[in-house]
Amino acid sequence: MYNLKLINYCFIILSVLACQNKEKKQIEKAKPNILFILVDDLGYHDLGVTGSTFYQTPNVDKLANQAMMFTQGYAASRVCSPSRASIMTGKFTARHGITDWIGAKTGKAWRTRNRHDKLLPADYIHTLPNEEVTIAEAFKTNGYKTFFAGKWHLGGKGSYPEDHGFDINIAGIDAGSPRGGFFSPWNNPKLENKKKGENLTMRLAQETADFIKQNKDSTFFAFLSFYAVHAPIQTTEAKWAKYRNKADRIGIAESGYKMERVLPIRQVQDNPIYGGLVETMDDAVGVVLKALKDNGIAENTIVVFTSDNGGVASGDHYATSNLPLRGGKGYQWEGGIREPYFIKVPWLKHAGSKTEFPVINTDFYPTLLDLANVPLNPEQHKDGISLKPLLEGENLKINRPLFWHYPHYGNQGGEPASIIQKDGWKLIHYWEDNHEELFKLPSTENDDLNLISKHTKLAKNLSNQLRSWLKEVGAKYPIKDPQFNSVKANERYLNTVNKKWPSLEKQRLEELSKDFKPNATWWGSKVILD
């Protein structure tokens, strides 16, 4: 009798424990997965859903229409490494110290570029500091499996993704562009060559899809960081032909460029090579989103889609146009920092909604923690706010300034400048001569929209706030180059106008010609048997 009671008692205890374990697993499973998709150098108007009539992006368009679209969504920098560091840390660039792309020359070394600029760029931190608690570390500490695939560019060995909270790192190294191009064989110690001619963008998507399948019963934070659509601009012959023929049907403009302040800048979206590169990125997004659906976890996965800076309209490959936004990657205007910025939370009723509330990529850190019910860490993500109220349909009554600090020259023609944006106004301070520009937002930031002469008191107030904040965070500044030679600077400018500009116009028409052929293998996409 006693043994029977003991057996029954043990059975009850085991049943209770089993129920508790089941409930615990259900609670754990209820925690949302996170899929963060970051595209390199994608411009605000490079998607159909944001206004492009040339590039075709059905998968991203569909995602955007299931998400909340932030029409004033910004990157924290006009170039890659600083912007990526801000996503990882939740801090503005002047605060975390990575203010230029890692590898850019500074100080006297800048003279070796033979640009003959007025200033010597400020120094910057060259690796993501170990003391920063990254967004990946925050999720990992709270039980998430963490995964990274693609471009890192936040330091070399000792500062790879696996050193900053990611359990798995596929292809993330110090490089800022795909070594070896977009078709295998590539030169990446973190990515095995499997099939000659394989596309890098699709491979990264498949690696991410495989991770999703393998971890569908756990909770994960997956960060897919495409090398696309960064230069080198490459695509297949079939995709080039598709966009070349489309440009022909639309009508090929005689001229594709105009002069910006120091470099030509693209005025039309008609680059068939870039069109193919963008579409491949979209194909890859489709692969990953399908993996969520096929594995039955799409309804429990938050998806973020954004870019790290504006589209490349000058420098690099002069690939796209960001019009009506002025500038592009490397520039201080809207075209350099305004980005596609979408957040999909499947259980919230915000599909297809839009907001003009100004947001920036430092906001992703606290927003995603908040949505996942993970404790916030305000001492870390100091320059981000949770956007959860907006996503839930509420008003966000926060009046905060946004800051940008780029004490460098962009490879694409941008100038050393700092920016404050507040209360629907944006002030840009130029470090070459300390002049300023003032714009009312939302704005394309054309020359005729500079309103500083009409609002001098407002401009002075914003300027004082900007300088105060830069001082507070210990920002570094460029200095005057005592060897600056205005004659050589003018010679360089004239050479750009008289030689570089015509050369770009010629190259554009060559890439649109029916007999265009970059090489025998189309950048390695065609495998030629020996």
Side-chain angles (χ1 to χ4, degrees), residues 368-418:
L368 293 175
L369 293 182
D370 204 5
L371 288 168
N373 294 314
V374 171
L376 300 185
N377 185 6
E379 286 304 306
Q380 173 58 53
H381 46 75
K382 290 183 176 181
D383 298 314
I385 61 172
S386 174
L387 306 177
K388 185 178 179 180
L390 284 176
L391 292 162
E392 292 178 335
E394 301 174 11
N395 292 325
L396 196 53
K397 297 179 180 179
I398 295 178
N399 182 21
R400 53 135 182 201
L402 303 180
F403 296 99
W404 291 263
H405 182 57
Y406 190 73
H408 314 281
Y409 288 98
N411 292 337
Q412 300 78 18
E415 302 154 81
S418 298

Side-chain angles (χ1 to χ4, degrees), residues 312-343:
V312 183
S314 291
D316 297 356
H317 201 282
Y318 296 79
T320 192
S321 170
N322 299 294
L323 293 176
L325 302 182
R326 186 180 182 187
K329 177 183 179 180
Y331 283 94
Q332 58 274 9
W333 302 299
E334 287 284 280
I337 55 176
R338 205 196 304 179
E339 311 303 328
Y341 195 116
F342 315 140
I343 302 177

Side-chain angles (χ1 to χ4, degrees), residues 54-55 182-183 228-245 247 266 269-281 317-320 507-513 516-519 522-523:
F54 187 64
Y55 313 127
F182 280 99
F183 299 97
V229 290
H230 193 287
I233 307 302
Q234 298 174 345
T235 191
T236 62
E237 183 177 12
K239 276 188 163 50
W240 165 84
K242 173 181 177 177
Y243 285 94
R244 186 266 155 204
N245 293 337
R266 198 175 189 104
Q269 289 187 348
D270 64 359
N271 186 328
I273 305 169
Y274 186 72
L277 185 61
V278 170
E279 185 177 302
T280 300
M281 176 277 296
H317 201 282
Y318 296 79
T320 192
Q507 179 182 345
R508 170 180 166 267
L509 294 178
E510 287 175 349
E511 292 171 348
L512 284 163
S513 67
F516 172 73
K517 188 175 184 180
N519 54 31
W522 279 81
W523 296 293

